[in-house]
Amino acid sequence: MVELLALDTKSIKNSISMRLLSSVLSIYFLLTLLVTGIHIAVEYQDAKNEVQNVLEASEQTFHDILATDLWNYDLEQLNITAESIKGLPDITGVEVMGADKKVLFSSGNTLERTAEKEGLFWHEFSLIKTMNDEGTDLGQVRLYSDRSVIINSIKSGVYTLAINAVIKTMALVVLVTIVFRKLLTVPLGMLAQHANSIDPDHAVFKRISIAKNNNDELGVVQNALNSMMDKTVETIKKLDTVNQELEERVIERTEKLNRTVTQLDVERGALKEEVAIRQQREAALAQSLEDLKLAQGKLIESEKLASLGGLVAGVAHEINTPVGLSLTGISHFEHMVEDINKQFKAGELEEDDFVRFTKDSAELAKTIHVSLARAANLVKSFKQVAVDQSSEEIRQFDILDYLKETMTSMHSQLKQSAVHFNVQCEQQVLMMTSYPGAWAQIFTNLIQNTLIHAYDKGQQGTVTLTFQLEAQQLLFEFKDNGKGMSVDTIERIFDPFFTTNRSNGGSGLGMNIIYNIVTQKLHGSISVKSELDGGSTFLISTPRTLSDK
């Protein structure tokens, strides 16, 4: 029976089951490739970290031996020790340099000895010889490794993973093909054969019994065909009882009815297909929109984190100077105390020496105090701005003082430009109840955008930041006298991913982030006015007080 009713799938030019099977297997294959690639990348990174740990552990093992050889200037023993280090499995190169940066020993794959430098990585440490609690810098050592070591360590695991993925993929293809054929292709073929075997000229039909579940799609179609056949049998019986005189009329109506039923079936099938296609398109569009929103959110978060990272680098650079001055002052003060103590113990301390010591001590203390105060101020400003940018809490703050703290955190960028920033406000203190992190993002993005787009490198300019209060609204105007913008740029400036600086790494999200913060988070509005060579003006209006409800 199955052989008589089986559907010849080769006669179908566009099989639904084959398309569905191809889609499922294609998605599975892509997911398998993605997961396998991620697994290999993680294995590679773990192996590299292990090699890096070996390089760092070698420092603890060979530091004292190499330092002793270099202290004794026993280059022969130094070469023997270095060669023994290079013999370790994960180390492909060793380089020993003296305190004058001159290479004393170099072997294997190093920066100077190999042309393939891209795959190299190393661990560098200084050779310190401690004598009488004082350390002497004798030189540096670099222990090298390269990509081939990592690849050799993960090669077997990668082969096993690839073979496993291929086996699972082939097994899935076979199983899914069998299931599709059993549940879809064969039953549809049998149903089609039954439908084709219907003969309207006979009053007796064999009922179709193929579907195992009368409530699934095949069962619904089967019941519909059986119902249609029952109705046809009933109609034929009634037509047989009609008078012979009405035979032609009955035949005519029967043919018309058959044509109508066929047309309705065709139209119903076309309508169902059109509805299904529209539903698929709507689902695809909805998923695409959701994916775009998710991607945009991730890019915006990345842009915020990148901005915070820039603040970290700038503040670290600024703190380095006062901290360095403080360390230098403390070191000098320690030497002064040691000298005066020696003179006192030897009984050679004179009044002039003590007066000079007190004078120098006071000057050093003042210098150290100023430097540490500068560093503390930078840390305080950066800490407040960084905390606010990473939190989503409403609090009360002085927006003028907060602008000052934000610009202090950006001092490293501002001092490299010739642009002067002028803050104007009728009040000395302007308190706000809002999101300080949102305002920090607005200030940061506007200032960075102006330094990048409004002025050429080294070009002098003036930027005016004006604060005004109108009732309970804060009006903030950010105005520069730079290059200005074209009409097309003004129309698209708040669009996501639009930038005129794509070649230099611009993401096109800076102004879009400002627009979203102002309109959605701060419940305000933002507008821009500009013309070429006439500067640009951004006007932001937000409520002075926001509620967290």
Side-chain angles (χ1 to χ4, degrees):
M1 183 65 179
V2 175
E3 293 179 355
L4 293 175
L5 298 178
L7 179 64
D8 184 8
T9 56
K10 295 182 179 179
S11 63
I12 300 177
K13 297 182 178 179
N14 195 7
S15 172
I16 295 177
S17 61
M18 291 304 298
R19 283 185 290 160
L20 186 59
L21 180 62
S22 299
S23 300
V24 171
L25 293 179
S26 297
I27 294 174
Y28 175 80
F29 181 71
L30 292 176
L31 288 176
T32 301
L33 286 180
L34 178 61
V35 171
T36 303
I38 293 175
H39 191 92
I40 292 174
V42 171
E43 288 282 347
Y44 181 89
Q45 189 60 42
D46 290 343
K48 184 175 180 180
N49 292 338
E50 290 180 3
V51 174
Q52 190 70 35
N53 292 335
V54 170
L55 297 181
E56 294 175 0
S58 298
E59 174 185 351
Q60 303 295 328
T61 304
F62 296 101
H63 174 275
D64 293 341
I65 300 174
L66 292 172
T68 302
D69 294 341
L70 195 57
W71 174 263
N72 297 327
Y73 207 72
D74 189 350
L75 297 183
E76 182 178 355
Q77 183 61 41
L78 179 67
N79 291 345
I80 294 174
T81 304
E83 283 290 350
S84 65
I85 296 175
K86 179 180 171 295
L88 295 176
D90 293 332
I91 298 178
T92 60
V94 179
E95 192 174 62
V96 181
M97 296 174 287
D100 56 355
K101 303 300 182 181
K102 182 178 179 181
V103 176
L104 301 177
F105 176 83
S106 178
S107 178
N109 295 333
T110 64
L111 289 176
E112 294 184 355
R113 294 172 60 90
T114 179
E116 299 294 333
K117 300 180 181 180
E118 183 177 351
L120 287 180
F121 60 94
W122 61 85
H123 173 65
E124 180 176 317
F125 58 91
S126 299
L127 295 177
I128 306 297
K129 184 67 175 179
T130 303
M131 298 289 292
N132 298 326
D133 296 331
E134 291 187 359
T136 302
D137 187 357
L138 302 177
Q140 288 82 33
V141 176
R142 282 184 183 174
L143 303 180
Y144 289 87
S145 188
D146 56 38
R147 186 183 300 155
S148 62
V149 174
I150 302 174
I151 292 175
N152 289 334
S153 66
I154 67 172
K155 186 183 298 182
S156 60
V158 171
Y159 288 159
T160 302
L161 183 64
I163 293 172
N164 185 30
V166 170
I167 293 175
K168 289 194 292 185
T169 302
M170 293 177 64
L172 181 65
V173 171
V174 173
L175 291 176
V176 172
T177 302
I178 293 173
V179 171
F180 267 63
R181 178 172 178 80
K182 181 178 180 181
L183 296 182
L184 186 62
T185 306
V186 172
L188 283 177
M190 297 172 65
L191 190 63
Q193 291 291 342
H194 269 297
N196 289 331
S197 66
I198 297 175
D199 187 1
D201 295 334
H202 295 81
V204 179
F205 301 102
K206 185 176 181 180
R207 294 184 64 82
I208 301 174
S209 179
I210 296 173
K212 297 181 180 180
N213 186 354
N214 290 330
N215 295 323
D216 61 13
E217 290 82 351
L218 289 174
V220 171
V221 175
Q222 172 182 286
N223 293 335
L225 288 175
N226 286 330
S227 177
M228 184 184 69
M229 289 189 295
D230 291 341
K231 293 177 181 179
T232 304
V233 169
E234 184 180 353
T235 302
I236 293 175
K237 289 181 179 180
K238 289 181 179 180
L239 289 175
D240 289 341
T241 61
V242 177
N243 195 296
Q244 187 67 30
E245 295 178 358
L246 300 177
E247 184 176 0
E248 293 182 0
R249 184 178 178 184
V250 171
I251 294 174
E252 181 181 353
R253 289 186 176 181
T254 303
E255 292 177 353
K256 183 177 180 180
L257 178 61
N258 290 333
R259 287 196 300 268
T260 302
V261 171
T262 303
Q263 182 64 29
L264 287 175
D265 288 339
V266 172
E267 291 178 357
R268 182 175 62 180
L271 181 60
K272 287 184 177 179
E273 184 177 359
E274 183 178 355
V275 170
I277 292 174
R278 289 187 178 182
Q279 290 176 345
Q280 292 177 356
R281 290 178 178 176
E282 290 176 357
L285 288 175
Q287 183 62 39
S288 298
L289 180 60
E290 189 67 23
D291 292 341
L292 285 175
K293 289 182 179 179
L294 180 61
Q296 182 179 358
K298 290 183 178 179
L299 286 174
I300 288 175
E301 283 300 316
S302 299
E303 190 77 4
K304 290 181 179 180
L305 292 177
S307 176
L308 187 60
L311 288 180
V312 173
V315 170
H317 178 75
E318 287 296 307
I319 290 178
N320 185 55
T321 299
V323 170
L325 290 175
S326 300
L327 289 174
T328 302
I330 287 296
S331 299
H332 183 53
F333 183 75
E334 289 177 347
H335 287 299
M336 289 173 53
V337 170
E338 183 178 357
D339 292 339
I340 201 71
N341 188 38
K342 288 180 180 179
Q343 292 180 357
F344 176 78
K345 289 181 178 180
E348 299 175 355
L349 180 62
E350 297 180 357
E351 182 179 358
D352 292 341
D353 295 330
F354 184 79
V355 170
R356 184 168 57 254
F357 171 78
T358 57
K359 180 180 179 181
D360 292 343
S361 298
E363 292 178 356
L364 280 174
K366 183 177 180 180
T367 300
I368 294 171
H369 181 270
V370 171
S371 298
L372 293 178
R374 169 64 177 160
N377 184 46
L378 285 169
V379 171
K380 177 185 176 183
S381 299
F382 169 74
K383 179 181 179 182
Q384 186 62 62
V385 173
V387 169
D388 287 335
Q389 286 201 32
S390 61
S391 66
E392 299 290 338
E393 296 181 355
I394 294 177
R395 68 176 178 86
Q396 191 177 49
F397 61 99
D398 179 7
I399 195 169
L400 299 177
D401 186 63
Y402 200 75
L403 172 62
K404 180 180 178 181
E405 290 184 356
T406 304
M407 295 182 70
T408 299
S409 300
M410 299 178 65
H411 182 67
S412 177
Q413 301 176 42
L414 298 178
K415 73 177 184 179
Q416 296 178 9
S417 69
V419 179
H420 175 69
F421 289 81
N422 182 26
V423 180
Q424 296 181 354
C425 183
E426 296 178 357
Q427 292 89 348
Q428 295 295 325
V429 176
L430 184 54
M431 299 304 297
M432 296 277 293
T433 302
S434 185
Y435 293 95
W439 279 104
Q441 190 73 44
I442 292 172
F443 293 148
T444 301
N445 284 18
L446 283 175
I447 292 173
Q448 289 180 343
N449 194 68
T450 298
L451 295 178
I452 294 173
H453 298 283
Y455 302 97
D456 293 328
K457 187 174 182 181
Q459 180 182 355
Q460 294 184 350
T462 300
V463 177
T464 304
L465 295 83
T466 305
F467 295 86
Q468 285 183 311
L469 284 178
E470 286 189 4
Q472 292 300 315
Q473 289 290 116
L474 171 69
L475 300 181
F476 170 56
E477 183 185 79
F478 187 93
K479 183 178 182 181
D480 66 67
N481 61 347
K483 300 177 182 178
M485 294 178 284
S486 64
V487 176
D488 179 68
T489 301
I490 294 174
E491 292 177 351
R492 302 178 60 191
I493 189 171
F494 296 120
D495 291 347
F497 311 110
F498 171 75
T499 179
T500 58
N501 195 35
R502 184 79 63 188
S503 60
N504 292 325
S507 65
L509 287 174
M511 297 308 300
N512 180 254
I513 291 174
I514 294 177
Y515 180 84
N516 289 330
I517 290 175
V518 172
T519 58
Q520 298 178 18
K521 194 165 189 177
L522 301 182
H523 306 292
S525 62
I526 181 172
S527 60
V528 59
K529 297 179 181 178
S530 182
E531 60 182 17
L532 291 175
D533 300 324
S536 301
T537 301
F538 293 89
L539 182 60
I540 297 176
S541 175
T542 67
R544 184 180 183 184
T545 301
L546 291 178
S547 174
D548 56 359
K549 295 182 180 180

